[in-house]
Structures are given as structure tokens and as C-alpha cells.
Amino acid sequence: MEKDIIHENSNNHNKYINNENSGEKSAEQAGAVLRAMTVDDISAVKQIEQTCFSDAWSEKLLSDLLESEWDEAWVLTDTDGTRIGYANFRFLAGEGELMRIAVLPEHRGCGESKKLMDRLEISAKEKEAPDLTLEVRAGNTPAINLYISYGFQAEAVRKNYYQNPVEDALIMWRRSVPSIPT
């Protein structure tokens, strides 16, 4: 069975403290709570990984995200504290990359992925990284539509990039200025 999610890619860092002015409050008002990922979330996030991705990340890799100077990890919890989704962003050399985003199937279609994407935008502004990129399965239409709604455009294809099942990856960018042809 194919496990399409909202995104496939890699890593995370957790140096941010939630505050009322950084976007998390709107997630709380909608019933879900968006907060920085902690060590206590690793086991639940691993379960999200196994449910949503055919190439689930290990607990070690998830733990390493929390120590990375380039990565951020955010967890979305339901009103009862159950982890229902997470995202990992990487910022390096003035650019940002959406490494991973996943929402459990039973919570999809309710705007939860948008809360994670809104956090990406906030983080990109904080990091002064206006250009953002990501990879996504070419057949993951819900994810592609989400990314397009945030201004991303497909710029390249990596043939047979994903396994289980084999599928191409679209490389999408949201650039602050148009790219310069070479």
C-alpha cells in the first residue's frame, strides 16, 4: 500500500521557544497546538513517520534533528495532547528547505498541514531565508496543491527518486526573485 502524505524529504533543530506573536496561537485557537519538538516527542513522531512515509526516519535521526544548528522541528498536537503531525525545516546559506511534513491520515483535510506551512513561513522570515525549496512525490497531488497554494512552483524532476513505490520527485521552489537563466 502506498503511503502518500504531505511531503517526503529530511532533518531538524529546536532552538525556538513558542510565543504568542509567532503564529502558534492561531493553531491553538483552532483546537490544535503547534509547538517546538522536544525529546519527549520522538517516539510519537516516529509513529507518525511509520504511518505516513514508506521510508520512515529512525529515532536516532529524529533525535539528531534536535541538535542540528540548521534545523527546526515542530509538532502539532490535538486538544488532548496527542501528536497528530510534525514538520522539519532546514535553513542554510540564506535558503530554507521543507525537509519533512506529515499529518496523520485521520487529521488530514482539516487545515492541519497549513498550520505547519504557516510556521515554515514564519521561520523563513525569522531566518531571513526568502527562497524556499522542497521535494515531493510527483503523484502526491494533495501535497503539490498545498505547496502551490503557498507559492511554490515545480522547477525540476528527479527520476525514480523515491522507493516503495518507485516514483519521481518534483523539486519545487518559492523564490523571492525569478531565477536567472544560465
Side-chain angles (χ1 to χ4, degrees):
M1 179 174 114
E2 182 176 22
K3 293 181 180 179
D4 258 353
I5 32 340
I6 297 284
H7 198 102
E8 299 220 3
N9 214 341
S10 221
N11 275 2
N12 190 338
H13 152 323
N14 190 32
K15 292 184 179 174
Y16 293 89
I17 298 171
N18 296 343
N19 69 51
E20 293 180 8
N21 297 323
S22 64
E24 294 83 5
K25 190 170 176 98
S26 64
E28 289 178 28
Q29 290 170 342
V33 176
L34 181 62
R35 61 173 174 75
M37 186 173 140
T38 69
V39 172
D40 293 337
D41 297 313
I42 292 174
S43 179
V45 169
K46 181 181 175 195
Q47 292 291 6
I48 293 169
E49 278 279 325
Q50 291 173 337
T51 300
C52 295
F53 296 103
S54 61
D55 63 340
W57 287 355
S58 67
E59 282 190 30
K60 168 91 170 87
L61 192 139
L62 293 168
S63 178
D64 289 349
L65 297 178
L66 300 177
E67 302 301 320
S68 168
E69 66 181 282
W70 300 296
D71 292 290
E72 292 183 18
W74 296 89
V75 174
L76 193 60
T77 63
D78 208 347
T79 54
D80 66 359
T82 303
R83 283 76 159 195
I84 62 171
Y86 94 105
N88 166 230
F89 319 133
R90 176 168 288 165
F91 296 98
L92 185 64
E95 295 178 348
E97 184 171 359
L98 174 59
M99 302 300 287
R100 212 60 153 182
I101 183 172
V103 173
L104 291 172
E106 60 271 24
H107 294 278
R108 293 181 191 157
C110 303
E112 305 303 354
S113 294
K114 289 180 180 181
K115 293 171 187 167
L116 294 164
M117 290 297 293
D118 288 348
R119 181 63 235 184
L120 171 61
E121 291 197 330
I122 291 165
S123 294
K125 286 178 186 169
E126 291 172 351
K127 294 287 192 175
E128 298 179 6
D131 295 336
L132 301 172
T133 189
L134 59 87
E135 297 168 355
V136 61
R137 282 183 179 270
N140 191 345
T141 303
I144 293 167
N145 289 338
L146 174 69
Y147 304 142
I148 288 170
S149 77
Y150 279 82
F152 286 83
Q153 297 178 346
E155 292 192 12
V157 175
R158 287 195 177 120
K159 290 289 187 189
N160 303 318
Y161 180 76
Y162 292 110
Q163 304 300 308
N164 298 326
V166 173
E167 189 170 359
D168 295 345
L170 294 181
I171 310 305
M172 299 182 79
W173 278 89
R174 185 178 81 188
R175 299 183 189 273
S176 57
V177 295
S179 59
I180 299 169
T182 56

